[in-house]
Amino acid sequence: MAETLSIRPSKRRRVSPTGETADGSNGNDSKIQKQFFKTAANWNLEQSYEERSRKGKKKDARKAAAEAGRLPSRNAAGTWTVKEDDAASVASDSEWFDGEDNEDAEPQEAEEAAPEEPQIPVKEQIRRAQEELAKVATQLNEDPEEYPGAFKAMSRIGDSQIMAIKKICMVTQMTVYKDVIPGYRIRPSTEEAGEKLSKEVRRLRTYEQALVTGYQGYIKKLAYFAASPSTETSTRGQPISTIAINCACTLVNSVPHFNFRGDLLRILVKKLSTRKVDADFVKCRETLETLFREDEEGNASMEAVSLLSKMMRAKEYRVDESVLNTFLHLRLLGEFAGKASQDRADRPTDGYNGKKLKQKKQFRTKKERKLMKEQKEAEKVMAHADAAVSHEEREKMQSETLKMVFATYFRVLKERVPHLMGAVLEGLAQYAHLINQDFFGDLLEALKQLIRYSEMPEEENEDEQMAEDGDEEEVIRDTSRESLLCTITAFALLEGQDAHNARTDLHLDLSYFITHLYRGLLPLSVNPDLELGAKSLHLSDPSDESGGNRKDTRINVQTTTVLLMRCLSGVLLPPWNIRSVPPLRLAAFTKQLMTVVLQLPEKSCQAMLGLLGEVVHTHNRKVNALWNTEERKMDGTFKPLAETVEGSNPFATTIWEGELLKKHYCPKVREQLKTMEKELKSL
């Protein structure tokens, strides 16, 4: 019998404590709990946590010891350990309880401790920016709809801190936008949520949205840089403010129909609000003049005039006079056929008394009427597709523009701004045929007050101007020139708009202007600047120490002689009723002008004799007695310095100046005098 092996039974864990009773209660619970609390008081949790192995990168102990410069040692558990340096311990205790957070922080600290990348030289950054801009611009020029994100890419390149990159990016964006902007204004999308669009339409709308967004951001940058002061001291290149203004001017002339036109115009108007006239100022002014001349629709001109008028009013008209002269380049000056004032504008009407005349109905066959109807529908569709502004809308915008121009002129006249008087009078003389007849009386009264103001002694004028700021430049007012402009404006009001009826109904008296012109003939004849225009080259007097620092504010390019000839033509040869001039006025002016001719320069002398020849040809019988020494129509003596035309007694003298003019050094003057005398002898 084989010897049986005694097998040791396996131990089983007791499920219930030994002291468990039959009913399930445990009698030793209180003893165990007391023992647990007694033992837990001696536990060292921090020490046990410190000795516990941590997660992380496991390094070989010997390799770690070699890196630390210490020898490894074997602990009681049989593993190799290296004693860490105290300096490598963590500074705060809170790091021990972060657990897994410390594991994530270790790579970040390693990245922060990494060495910084070497800085790229500025020239290299500029070269890379140029290459990137050239690449993006080429993509947009080839197929702009394929790369709608290229606009943002160009904008990000311009966010560099290097000034040269900003300038290059600004000019590149201007060139790209000028080429890719369509010929229509992009309106906001009205796409509904459930609307289905084709692939081409969706692609086009995405491109248009990207274009408008990028263009808006670019204009905001232009406004920011244009307003920034030029702090660059380097002589290499232009300041960024100048480049921004040039870009804005180019866009205004190139794409005035596109979105955000008002923002571009505000950049220009803000520059024109300064009194300092520099290259940027001249560029902005010439841009607006070009816009006024080439604007066919009138919407852009109306917006620009509105901004200019608001700016000048906010600045209390302390602006340069050339800003006000931009109004003379508006197309409505030669195109608009209505009348206006500062309050309202009357649009032109056809027919009699504003009523449109009925046209005679023309007979057409049924086939012709059908063909005409189809043709009208086709023209309507084409006009809508081309976004053409109708004739009525254009006249409406021009009338609103004209109201704003007149409101600006009349405010300047009311406030009597010295350095803007010449510009306002020139503008009123140009726009006189467009002024409403109901406003004639107020305007003529303002012109009379201006002439009285110009006749005041210089001491009184200086006392009135003492209230102005002392830091402003001294203004030289050519009072004779302003008086001539007032007279031209007064007579131009009646020219070309049913002037005879208007003078009769409104009882307009122009005798004040005629008398003032007569009294000013002799002083004007000895004026050394008679044949010089406002913009002619005229050297200042070397003996006048203050003359070189003064500013010449005369604005119109016409010479004083031309202004004088315009005044005399309105007085002696009025176009509305040339035969209504009284003989006494004709004789007084003819005698005075013949005396004036003796002192005039050669060109002015020829122009004056030409005017006198027309007077003699038109009013031969009224002035023939002045050349006859045997006849005298009136008694007494001739008074050339009389205060009124009637008080000069012209028929009491004869014209003897012709004998001196026969010996004039200019042969053309002698020929004109002979022609005039032949005209007199022909009767």
Side-chain angles (χ1 to χ4, degrees), residues 95-343:
E95 298 182 5
W96 298 105
F97 297 96
D98 290 342
E100 297 179 357
D101 296 342
N102 290 343
E103 301 172 12
D104 300 336
E106 289 179 1
Q108 296 178 3
E109 294 176 359
E111 292 177 1
E112 293 177 0
E116 297 181 358
E117 296 181 358
Q119 294 184 356
I120 304 176
V122 176
K123 291 185 178 180
E124 181 65 20
Q125 294 185 34
I126 295 174
R127 187 188 64 80
R128 292 183 182 181
Q130 289 176 342
E131 293 179 354
E132 188 68 21
L133 287 172
K135 179 181 178 181
V136 176
T138 304
Q139 293 175 351
L140 287 173
N141 286 331
E142 291 178 354
D143 191 1
E145 296 182 5
E146 186 69 23
Y147 305 97
F151 299 108
K152 287 186 178 180
M154 285 194 301
S155 179
R156 284 194 296 268
I157 296 174
D159 294 337
S160 174
Q161 299 298 328
I162 302 175
M163 190 60 64
I165 296 179
K166 289 182 179 181
K167 295 178 182 179
I168 296 172
C169 184
M170 193 179 300
V171 177
T172 305
Q173 284 180 286
M174 181 269 296
T175 307
V176 170
Y177 282 122
K178 187 177 67 172
D179 294 339
V180 303
I181 284 178
Y184 55 89
R185 184 183 182 90
I186 298 178
R187 294 177 293 178
S189 177
T190 58
E191 180 181 356
E192 298 180 359
E195 185 180 1
K196 293 183 179 180
L197 300 175
S198 62
K199 185 177 179 181
E200 291 77 9
V201 174
R202 190 173 298 277
R203 178 188 177 189
L204 178 60
R205 289 191 177 181
T206 302
Y207 163 71
E208 290 179 347
Q209 185 66 25
L211 173 61
V212 172
T213 304
Y215 189 62
Q216 183 182 17
Y218 175 63
I219 292 179
K220 288 181 179 179
K221 286 186 177 181
L222 288 182
Y224 173 76
F225 288 122
S228 61
S230 56
T231 57
E232 302 177 32
T233 58
S234 176
T235 58
R236 297 172 56 186
Q238 297 177 339
I240 194 169
S241 59
T242 301
I243 295 177
I245 290 175
N246 290 336
C247 293
C249 293
T250 304
L251 291 175
V252 167
N253 287 334
S254 301
V255 287
H257 62 279
F258 198 60
N259 304 50
F260 311 110
R261 175 183 59 211
D263 298 335
L264 289 173
L265 291 175
R266 288 185 186 91
I267 297 175
L268 274 62
V269 171
K270 187 174 182 180
K271 181 61 182 177
L272 293 176
S273 64
T274 60
R275 294 292 297 272
K276 181 181 178 182
V277 180
D278 51 5
D280 297 341
F281 184 95
V282 175
K283 180 70 175 179
C284 294
R285 186 191 65 204
E286 293 177 350
T287 301
L288 287 181
E289 292 175 357
T290 304
L291 177 66
F292 290 157
R293 286 193 300 266
E294 298 179 356
D295 183 23
E296 297 181 355
E297 298 179 357
N299 197 3
S301 298
M302 182 179 66
E303 191 172 358
V305 170
S306 176
L307 291 174
L308 283 173
S309 60
K310 290 179 181 178
M311 180 270 294
M312 287 187 284
R313 191 172 184 180
K315 298 280 291 184
E316 297 180 352
Y317 301 99
R318 296 184 179 181
V319 296
D320 191 78
E321 61 186 4
S322 60
V323 179
L324 202 60
N325 290 335
T326 56
F327 292 161
L328 300 178
H329 298 271
L330 289 167
R331 294 189 63 163
L332 62 89
L333 188 61
E335 295 179 353
F336 188 62
K339 311 294 180 185
S341 65
Q342 61 177 346
D343 299 324

Side-chain angles (χ1 to χ4, degrees), residues 509-539:
D509 185 14
L510 301 180
S511 59
Y512 180 83
F513 300 96
I514 297 174
T515 303
H516 182 269
L517 178 63
Y518 177 78
R519 290 186 301 177
L521 289 177
L522 292 178
L524 282 174
S525 64
V526 293
N527 188 356
D529 297 337
L530 195 64
E531 293 186 350
L532 291 178
K535 297 182 180 180
S536 302
L537 178 62
H538 184 67
L539 300 178

Side-chain angles (χ1 to χ4, degrees), residues 329-437:
H329 298 271
L330 289 167
R331 294 189 63 163
L332 62 89
L333 188 61
E335 295 179 353
F336 188 62
K339 311 294 180 185
S341 65
Q342 61 177 346
D343 299 324
R344 64 187 181 91
D346 300 332
R347 297 168 62 185
T349 55
D350 297 331
Y352 180 72
N353 291 333
K355 296 181 180 179
K356 204 168 186 178
L357 299 177
K358 293 183 179 180
Q359 296 181 356
K360 187 177 180 181
K361 190 174 181 180
Q362 185 179 359
F363 175 76
R364 293 185 180 88
T365 62
K366 185 177 181 181
K367 185 176 181 181
E368 290 176 349
R369 290 197 300 269
K370 183 178 179 181
L371 182 62
M372 188 175 181
K373 184 178 180 181
E374 293 177 354
Q375 185 177 1
K376 286 183 178 180
E377 291 179 355
E379 291 175 355
K380 185 177 180 180
V381 172
M382 291 297 295
H384 182 71
D386 296 339
V389 180
S390 64
H391 185 65
E392 295 181 357
E393 293 177 354
R394 183 182 180 185
E395 286 184 350
K396 182 179 179 181
M397 287 185 288
Q398 287 184 344
S399 62
E400 293 295 327
T401 305
L402 191 60
K403 279 172 34 178
M404 290 185 286
V405 171
F406 284 155
T408 303
Y409 284 160
F410 297 150
R411 288 196 192 101
V412 175
L413 279 179
K414 183 179 180 181
E415 297 184 11
R416 204 173 294 167
V417 183
H419 66 282
L420 295 181
M421 281 293 109
V424 170
L425 292 173
E426 177 70 11
L428 288 175
Q430 293 285 340
Y431 284 98
H433 64 286
L434 299 177
I435 299 178
N436 198 321
Q437 294 181 3

Side-chain angles (χ1 to χ4, degrees), residues 436-567:
N436 198 321
Q437 294 181 3
D438 298 338
F439 200 68
F440 283 1
D442 297 336
L443 184 56
L444 289 178
E445 188 62 29
L447 295 176
K448 290 179 183 179
Q449 291 180 1
L450 187 60
I451 291 179
R452 296 189 190 102
Y453 179 73
S454 64
E455 291 179 346
M456 293 173 59
E458 296 183 359
E459 293 79 6
E460 297 183 11
N461 289 340
E462 292 177 358
D463 294 339
E464 291 185 2
Q465 296 176 0
M466 288 298 292
E468 298 180 358
D469 296 336
D471 56 346
E472 293 185 0
E473 296 181 357
E474 186 178 355
V475 178
I476 295 180
R477 292 186 59 190
D478 193 342
T479 55
S480 61
R481 205 175 176 85
E482 291 181 4
S483 301
L484 291 176
L485 285 172
C486 290
T487 306
I488 291 173
T489 305
F491 280 92
L493 291 175
L494 304 179
E495 185 178 351
Q497 48 179 346
D498 197 11
H500 179 70
N501 295 334
R503 185 177 60 175
T504 304
D505 297 339
L506 299 176
H507 304 286
L508 299 179
D509 185 14
L510 301 180
S511 59
Y512 180 83
F513 300 96
I514 297 174
T515 303
H516 182 269
L517 178 63
Y518 177 78
R519 290 186 301 177
L521 289 177
L522 292 178
L524 282 174
S525 64
V526 293
N527 188 356
D529 297 337
L530 195 64
E531 293 186 350
L532 291 178
K535 297 182 180 180
S536 302
L537 178 62
H538 184 67
L539 300 178
S540 59
D541 188 0
S543 61
D544 187 5
E545 298 179 356
S546 60
N549 299 326
R550 295 184 179 180
K551 184 179 179 182
D552 191 359
T553 60
R554 296 173 300 176
I555 52 94
N556 44 320
V557 296
Q558 295 178 339
T559 62
T560 308
T561 300
V562 175
L563 297 179
L564 180 60
M565 297 297 295
R566 290 173 61 183
C567 293

